[in-house]
Amino acid sequence: MIARLLSALSAALCLLLAACASPPLRGTGDLGVVIERARGSVQIVEQSARRSLGRVDGLGDLSHASVVFSRDGRYAYVFGRDGGLSQVDVLSQRLVKRVMQAGNSIGGAISSDGRIVAAQNYQPGGVKLFDADTLELLAEVSTGGSKVVGLADLPGNRFAFSLFEAGEIWLIDASQPRAPQVTRYPNIGRQPYDGLASQDGRHYLAGLYGEDGLALLDTWQPEQGVRRILNGYGRGRAALPVYKMPHLRGWSLAGDYAFLPAIGHHQVLIADRRSWQEVARVPVHGQPVFVMAEPGGRRVWVNFAFPHNDTVQVIDVPSRQIVATLKPGRAILHMEFTARGDAVWLSSRDDNRLTVIDTATLNTIAELDAEQPSGIFFTWRAQRMGM
């Protein structure tokens, strides 16, 4: 009798200790990762509680880094400047696997079925396709040494990207990932520097650094080829020195309009998404870097290049007027909205701080320590195209 009682107590104690040792069960939808560029780490954060949960080190050179997520939001794939591709488990807060896949990489994408991770490379150029579970190399698409920019996912396990030196847009059909098919669109303009895909996957838009204008591909009607839009938006005005290249992403699309940074000018360009004709310009505080629409599309937030990178401005979409100018910190490098837009998180590199702002009141509601933070990436991206 005593032996059975001791055995039962021992079993209960083991279960209790195991429960204490195991992390609590939770989903991933309220999580995110923040790039800490100086130490080569990502900080894992919880959005609702506005707190840090942990840190994962050993991710290499993150001076320019981006992140995509697995379909379930559990794994973050981190693309580093040194060509490293890292798979991070955001629940267990650990580095699962890391491969050195290029000499210089600035971003990537994940396929519509979540099985293929694609890395875009500066050095030696080209795009590499990896198995999302194992990071096994599936295929490599050579671009003849031209830098790859603006890689974006499209429906049907396709990817679009631009070539900086070659001045082309390429589409990859990766439905057979070990034998991808490539369609090339040449002569799109000089030096495409970034690209975005609309959230329905229909349009791919490449910004041009070498001339005033953008290149547009309608993926529903690819036989029509690439057409130019917003030609000559800077005509007759001398461009200012460009201290930081602007960024294009799908979140700069708000309702019927696209809000786009003007290179070398203190302006945000507005184009009608049906005709892709310019409809207005908004004078802003400095040279815009990110032009990001709130999830509801009512307002657009803009941050700026040096020396105006301590400022963020908010544009009201219906009136096309600036309705707020904020000074949330030094060197605001990135902004990220919560999935439904109740708050926006901002990284202040020079203050070693994350600032969380209530989008309804524009008041600061939280601040978190971070070591030279840059990109902020929330797991809701796992369910969006063009992210």
Side-chain angles (χ1 to χ4, degrees), residues 310-312 326-330 332 346 348 351 353 355 357:
D310 64 341
T311 301
V312 171
L326 310 176
K327 299 281 188 179
R330 297 178 298 162
I332 300 297
L346 302 96
S348 176
D351 289 324
R353 185 178 72 216
T355 299
I357 295 177

Side-chain angles (χ1 to χ4, degrees), residues 70-361:
S70 60
R71 179 178 284 188
D72 61 3
R74 177 168 182 175
Y75 297 105
Y77 299 92
V78 183
F79 305 90
R81 172 66 85 178
D82 57 5
L85 169 58
S86 303
Q87 182 185 21
V88 174
D89 186 332
V90 300
L91 286 181
S92 64
Q93 302 171 26
R94 65 185 180 91
L95 176 61
V96 178
K97 191 167 186 179
R98 174 173 162 80
V99 296
M100 297 301 297
Q101 58 87 32
N104 189 334
S105 181
I106 63 164
I110 190 164
S111 61
S112 53
D113 67 2
R115 297 180 179 180
I116 307 164
V117 175
Q120 67 174 31
N121 295 320
Y122 265 17
Q123 181 60 246
V127 171
K128 290 184 177 180
L129 306 180
F130 297 88
D131 182 279
D133 291 330
T134 65
L135 296 191
E136 174 196 358
L137 180 64
L138 301 174
E140 181 174 0
V141 176
S142 173
T143 58
S146 187
K147 296 182 182 70
V148 175
V149 299
L151 179 68
D153 60 289
L154 299 174
N157 288 350
R158 294 176 299 158
F159 300 96
F161 60 89
S162 300
L163 301 184
F164 182 79
E165 288 87 2
E168 298 184 356
I169 290 174
W170 288 19
L171 287 184
I172 296 177
D173 181 345
S175 55
Q176 300 295 324
R178 294 187 183 274
Q181 302 298 308
V182 177
T183 304
R184 298 171 59 174
Y185 297 88
N187 305 316
I188 67 165
R190 294 196 305 273
Q191 298 177 322
Y193 68 88
D194 199 6
L196 69 85
S198 58
Q199 291 183 10
D200 60 5
R202 176 173 182 175
H203 295 106
Y204 178 79
L205 191 63
L208 301 175
Y209 182 68
E211 53 190 287
D212 288 347
L214 297 97
L216 177 71
L217 176 66
D218 184 341
T219 67
W220 291 8
Q221 300 172 307
E223 69 281 357
Q224 295 183 357
V226 175
R227 66 185 177 108
R228 295 289 300 278
I229 64 171
L230 304 182
N231 273 338
Y233 63 75
R235 187 176 293 122
R237 292 171 291 128
L240 299 168
V242 176
Y243 295 106
K244 182 174 177 61
M245 293 293 284
H247 288 260
L248 300 174
R249 272 305 177 198
W251 49 68
S252 60
L253 306 177
D256 293 330
Y257 300 99
F259 289 74
L260 304 164
I263 296 179
H265 302 282
H266 293 184
Q267 293 180 325
V268 169
L269 310 175
I270 306 177
D272 187 308
R273 290 182 58 194
R274 294 159 295 189
S275 66
W276 293 99
Q277 299 296 311
E278 181 182 327
V279 296
R281 302 182 185 197
V282 180
V284 290
H285 181 68
Q287 292 184 35
V289 176
F290 282 101
V291 180
M292 301 173 64
E294 293 180 358
R298 172 60 192 263
R299 295 184 298 184
V300 171
W301 292 56
V302 187
N303 73 332
F304 302 99
F306 177 86
H308 302 103
N309 56 3
D310 64 341
T311 301
V312 171
Q313 291 190 305
V314 183
I315 300 171
D316 175 68
V317 170
S319 67
R320 301 169 187 165
Q321 300 293 316
I322 293 172
V323 294
T325 298
L326 310 176
K327 299 281 188 179
R330 297 178 298 162
I332 300 297
L333 298 189
H334 197 234
M335 304 174 287
E336 180 82 335
F337 293 98
T338 54
R340 300 193 182 189
D342 57 289
V344 60
W345 291 48
L346 302 96
S347 59
S348 176
R349 181 195 63 198
D350 293 354
D351 289 324
N352 294 306
R353 185 178 72 216
L354 302 171
T355 299
V356 185
I357 295 177
D358 183 307
T359 54
T361 65

